[in-house]
Amino acid sequence: MTIKSDYYEILGVERNASDEEIKRSYRKLAMQYHPDRNPGNREAEEMFKEASEAYEVLSDQGKRDIYNRYGHDGLTGAGYRGFSGFDDIFSSFGDVFGDIFGFSTGRSRSRTAAQAGADLRYDLRISFMDAALGATTEISLQKYVLCTSCRGSGCAAGISPEVCSRCQGRGQVTQSSGFFSISTTCPQCRGQGQVIKTPCRECSGGGKIKVAKTVQLKIPAGVETGSRLRMRGEGEEGEYGGPSGDLYVFIEVKRHDVFEREGNDIYCRIPITFIQAALGGSVEAPTLTGREKVKIPRGTQTGRTFRLKGKGIPHLRGYGCGDQVIETVVTVPTNLSRRQEELLKEFEKLSG
Ligand SMILES: [Zn+2]
Ligand SMILES: [Zn+2]
């Protein structure tokens, strides 16, 4: 927390200043510290924000009364939070800037400011096994990158952008109108401050071209449908030195013929013969990594489950794995031979 300055001091007015004096003083400061006139100047930015906050409070009789009586704390107590940023200021005081700068939003976004590249989304379908065990794969995507033949300048070879003759590179043209000077976006360079006489043929002067790119993607074991993998800096390239965006890979996992997943546990059914069910025995069950012997006790019914600890899917964040749950299905033999049938009939007699 920094200690807040006095709003009257910031605007340089007396405590009993009239609304008109407050507005006049604010306009003067806003003109001086306007971000379009001080690009990249942090100090000016701060001054501009401070003055705007002071003006917002002192131009509102209700807020001004609270401030006069209780100071900054009073405003905080009354729920006043100030501005979150420039856009907030401009949308609040559009009218004030309207007559100072000659356009309603009060600001033209400089087109040569550093801009982060866009994030990209890629939808990837993977097999159940790749999700369970992890995998490395390559994905191909189309994205815009800086044009290689002009390195993003947009100019044909041997040509450089020329400083705009109309605005001398400022991107704004200023006209004096009585007491105020009015700035507007330069119509010749559309605010860029420079013009390209012969554009690069590769990118038509845009400075970017679309290319196919292959990205190596490591899929961690344990992902599931809906998992989102973020690849930092693999999105589109930023402009004017801005950082690249990120690539988000959205995972969709295909179904498996044998295994079903619930959380990090996997489920499968294994058939056992009615002899194995009655007498007990052992069967081989498929697991994620191979096969595993499972002991079947005597008198096992359909639907009995056996849990193989730690044979499930690895926890994506953290240690260990889920379990594998095996459910028995007792099968009834068909196409009995004559001899088998005799034995079964005998068995039936013995069972009463
Ligand atoms: Zn180019
Ligand atoms: Zn210009």
Side-chain angles (χ1 to χ4, degrees):
M1 280 296 286
T2 51
I3 295 170
K4 287 198 155 195
S5 315
D6 181 78
Y7 287 147
Y8 292 99
E9 265 171 39
I10 292 169
L11 293 183
V13 293
E14 298 293 327
R15 290 190 83 81
N16 58 3
S18 69
D19 289 352
E20 201 39 56
E21 283 169 318
I22 286 168
K23 187 171 185 181
R24 203 183 312 138
S25 173
Y26 172 59
R27 281 153 68 118
K28 213 173 121 201
L29 290 170
M31 226 160 65
Q32 186 179 348
Y33 297 116
H34 195 282
D36 279 356
R37 296 190 149 185
N38 304 274
N41 182 341
R42 288 263 155 184
E43 216 171 307
E45 233 172 64
E46 275 318 303
M47 301 289 275
F48 183 74
K49 283 184 188 158
E50 267 193 341
S52 299
E53 191 179 313
Y55 175 67
E56 202 214 6
V57 170
L58 299 188
S59 64
D60 177 315
Q61 199 53 54
K63 285 179 190 157
R64 188 173 173 182
D65 283 346
I66 294 176
Y67 179 68
N68 288 345
R69 290 164 79 178
Y70 308 110
H72 291 291
D73 292 344
L75 290 168
T76 312
Y80 175 67
R81 291 280 170 271
F83 295 108
S84 57
F86 286 136
D87 290 342
D88 209 6
I89 294 173
F90 295 127
S91 62
S92 300
F93 303 145
D95 54 333
V96 179
F97 294 111
D99 47 341
I100 298 175
F101 295 101
F103 40 83
S104 61
T105 62
R107 187 175 197 209
S108 65
R109 206 170 284 280
S110 165
R111 291 191 61 191
T112 48
Q115 268 177 45
D119 290 337
L120 293 175
R121 174 187 173 135
Y122 188 94
D123 294 301
L124 182 67
R125 280 193 94 201
I126 59 173
S127 72
F128 184 93
M129 283 301 181
D130 282 351
L133 303 174
T136 306
T137 186
E138 281 187 342
I139 55 180
S140 304
L141 45 116
Q142 301 263 318
K143 66 179 194 177
Y144 283 98
V145 296
L146 280 192
C147 171
T148 41
S149 59
C150 65
R151 286 200 213 86
S153 74
C155 300
I159 302 271
S160 321
E162 286 169 34
V163 172
C164 174
S165 57
R166 182 104 177 239
C167 63
Q168 274 82 45
R170 279 177 298 132
Q172 302 250 311
V173 284
T174 310
Q175 291 163 291
S176 288
S177 158
F179 184 71
F180 295 114
S181 48
I182 299 170
S183 296
T184 49
T185 303
C186 171
Q188 184 167 299
C189 62
R190 296 195 307 275
Q192 301 258 28
Q194 55 187 32
V195 284
I196 295 168
K197 290 262 165 70
T198 320
C200 165
R201 250 191 258 160
E202 211 65 45
C203 62
S204 315
K208 290 196 156 196
I209 46 169
K210 203 169 199 178
V211 294
K213 209 184 160 206
T214 309
V215 181
Q216 283 265 339
L217 174 67
K218 205 172 168 308
I219 301 167
V223 293
E224 56 193 322
T225 293
S227 293
R228 203 179 67 164
L229 306 177
R230 178 188 190 185
M231 300 188 73
R232 241 172 231 283
E234 292 292 354
E236 282 182 357
E237 285 177 4
E239 284 189 58
Y240 309 110
S244 290
D246 297 330
L247 170 65
Y248 288 94
V249 179
F250 285 68
I251 300 287
E252 188 196 340
V253 181
K254 291 186 228 172
R255 292 178 68 86
H256 193 268
D257 290 340
V258 175
F259 299 119
E260 269 177 53
R261 176 173 180 173
E262 233 183 274
N264 286 322
D265 292 340
I266 55 169
Y267 290 79
C268 73
R269 291 200 169 120
I270 50 167
I272 57 173
T273 67
F274 78 109
I275 314 286
Q276 286 171 318
L279 303 179
S282 79
V283 290
E284 276 208 328
T287 64
L288 287 176
T289 49
R291 304 188 75 78
E292 176 115 349
K293 256 202 174 123
V294 180
K295 218 171 151 289
I296 305 292
R298 287 173 87 88
T300 292
Q301 308 288 340
T302 283
R304 181 160 179 182
T305 56
F306 300 89
R307 189 169 280 266
L308 304 180
K309 279 263 168 228
K311 290 283 175 186
I313 292 174
H315 299 299
L316 190 55
R317 288 175 193 82
Y319 300 100
C321 298
D323 300 333
Q324 176 170 358
V325 178
I326 286 161
E327 187 184 330
T328 54
V329 180
V330 177
T331 56
V332 176
T334 51
N335 302 323
L336 295 173
S337 69
R338 187 181 286 267
R339 175 74 182 130
Q340 283 174 321
E341 206 167 322
E342 279 170 14
L343 287 171
L344 280 183
K345 280 185 173 152
E346 197 178 332
F347 174 79
E348 192 183 22
K349 248 183 254 163
L350 283 171
S351 312

